[in-house]
Amino acid sequence: MRISEIFYSIQGEGRLVGVPSVFVRTSGCNLRCRWCDTPYTSWKPEGKSWSIKNILCEVARYPTRHVVITGGEPLLAPDIADLTVQLKQRGAHITVETAATIFKPLAGDLISLSPKLANSTPWQRSRGEFAAMHEKHRLNYPVIQSFIDRYDYQLKFVVDQKKDLEEVRAVIGQLQNIDVSKVMLMAQGVRHEELVRKSQWIVASCQQYGFSYTPRLHIQLFGNRRGT
Ligand code: SF4
């Protein structure tokens, strides 16, 4: 499968924030978020082909059992399920980070679902050539529900402005059996000061609705750098 990078860092987002983890980042995405923080996996995908055997060898170099499979959109990779099964057989705890537009059965311990809100649509970027495609695919309720029904999950929304909260609530309203404490709000932004500023109203919204707040700890610690 096409891999953009494999690196060892700490999980910066979600329920496992702070846990040392190996990140396996696939390249290629079926969306084009205007604010994508990994454009080298979406707008200008790069990377080389890795066999599952080589990925397993690389992952085994690091002193943690936590593996985060991320992207891009990792569910696009034809052999992603096989990779999760083989990691699981080696005792890994597997988090899969996905925009939840594609369902496949996986051997995942935590599925980090990040459906994209309207704030992600690239109406201006690249003269809007990807906007219609992005709009069509960014929310897929049957896929989100399939993951929620089968796996431990977190439902992570990137919010940019206060008005995004109504959209988050509307999306949740379309889903069944949601544990609101697993709904996580995260600020859009790749600069620490920007995240701190937005965190004020985001935390207040979490308190109001029972959602959880997630920081972007890797930005705070390392800045917006690859390999962190
Ligand atoms: S889904 Fe993720 S990788 Fe794909 S364009 Fe959006 S932010 Fe980037």
Side-chain angles (χ1 to χ4, degrees):
M1 69 184 71
R2 194 175 186 193
I3 298 292
S4 123
E5 54 188 352
I6 299 177
F7 59 93
Y8 184 48
S9 186
I10 56 148
Q11 176 57 281
E13 303 170 359
R15 284 163 51 192
L16 294 176
V17 71
V19 175
S21 306
V22 188
F23 291 77
V24 178
R25 189 184 300 287
T26 64
S27 191
C29 188
N30 57 346
L31 298 181
R32 293 291 185 279
C33 300
R34 69 173 173 83
W35 38 250
C36 180
D37 58 352
T38 57
Y40 47 93
T41 69
S42 57
W43 289 89
K44 290 188 176 170
E46 52 188 66
K48 58 180 185 173
S49 181
W50 284 59
S51 66
I52 289 181
K53 184 178 165 205
N54 285 348
I55 295 171
L56 295 171
C57 283
E58 182 66 15
V59 166
R61 291 180 52 219
Y62 301 102
T64 181
R65 62 182 287 263
H66 282 265
V67 180
V68 180
I69 299 176
T70 188
E73 177 45 74
L75 272 295
L76 283 174
D79 41 0
I80 196 71
D82 196 11
L83 175 62
T84 62
V85 167
Q86 294 203 45
L87 284 166
K88 196 77 207 147
Q89 287 169 349
R90 287 158 176 77
H93 176 286
I94 302 166
T95 301
V96 178
E97 298 183 334
T98 173
T101 59
I102 301 164
F103 179 82
K104 286 178 189 171
L106 301 164
D109 297 285
L110 174 65
I111 310 297
S112 184
L113 306 163
S114 186
K116 298 301 182 274
L117 300 178
N119 66 34
S120 64
T121 305
W123 296 110
Q124 311 294 332
R125 192 166 170 178
S126 273
R127 299 173 305 283
E129 67 176 309
F130 292 101
M133 177 278 290
H134 183 94
E135 256 320 273
K136 183 176 177 190
H137 296 294
R138 69 180 171 83
L139 281 176
N140 188 322
Y141 291 109
V143 168
I144 301 168
Q145 191 68 55
S146 293
F147 280 116
I148 287 170
D149 291 344
R150 290 167 177 78
Y151 296 93
D152 192 10
Y153 69 93
Q154 59 193 17
L155 192 51
K156 191 172 65 179
F157 292 96
V158 177
V159 290
D160 196 31
Q161 301 179 43
K162 288 180 185 172
K163 65 180 173 63
D164 294 343
L165 262 296
E166 288 314 306
E167 197 182 345
V168 168
R169 297 180 70 217
V171 170
I172 292 169
Q174 297 292 318
L175 300 166
Q176 310 293 318
N177 304 318
I178 294 291
D179 176 348
V180 288
S181 71
K182 293 183 178 180
V183 175
M184 313 199 86
L185 302 185
M186 184 174 83
Q188 194 282 113
V190 291
R191 286 183 297 112
H192 180 54
E193 312 73 45
E194 186 183 13
L195 297 175
V196 169
R197 183 166 42 80
K198 290 178 181 174
S199 70
Q200 305 298 318
W201 61 264
I202 295 174
V203 167
S205 302
C206 287
Q207 289 175 306
Q208 182 176 359
Y209 297 114
F211 302 151
S212 296
Y213 171 76
T214 176
R216 305 194 77 197
L217 183 61
H218 52 302
I219 302 274
Q220 181 185 330
L221 294 176
F222 310 115
N224 184 32
R225 287 199 290 117
R226 284 180 74 157
T228 58

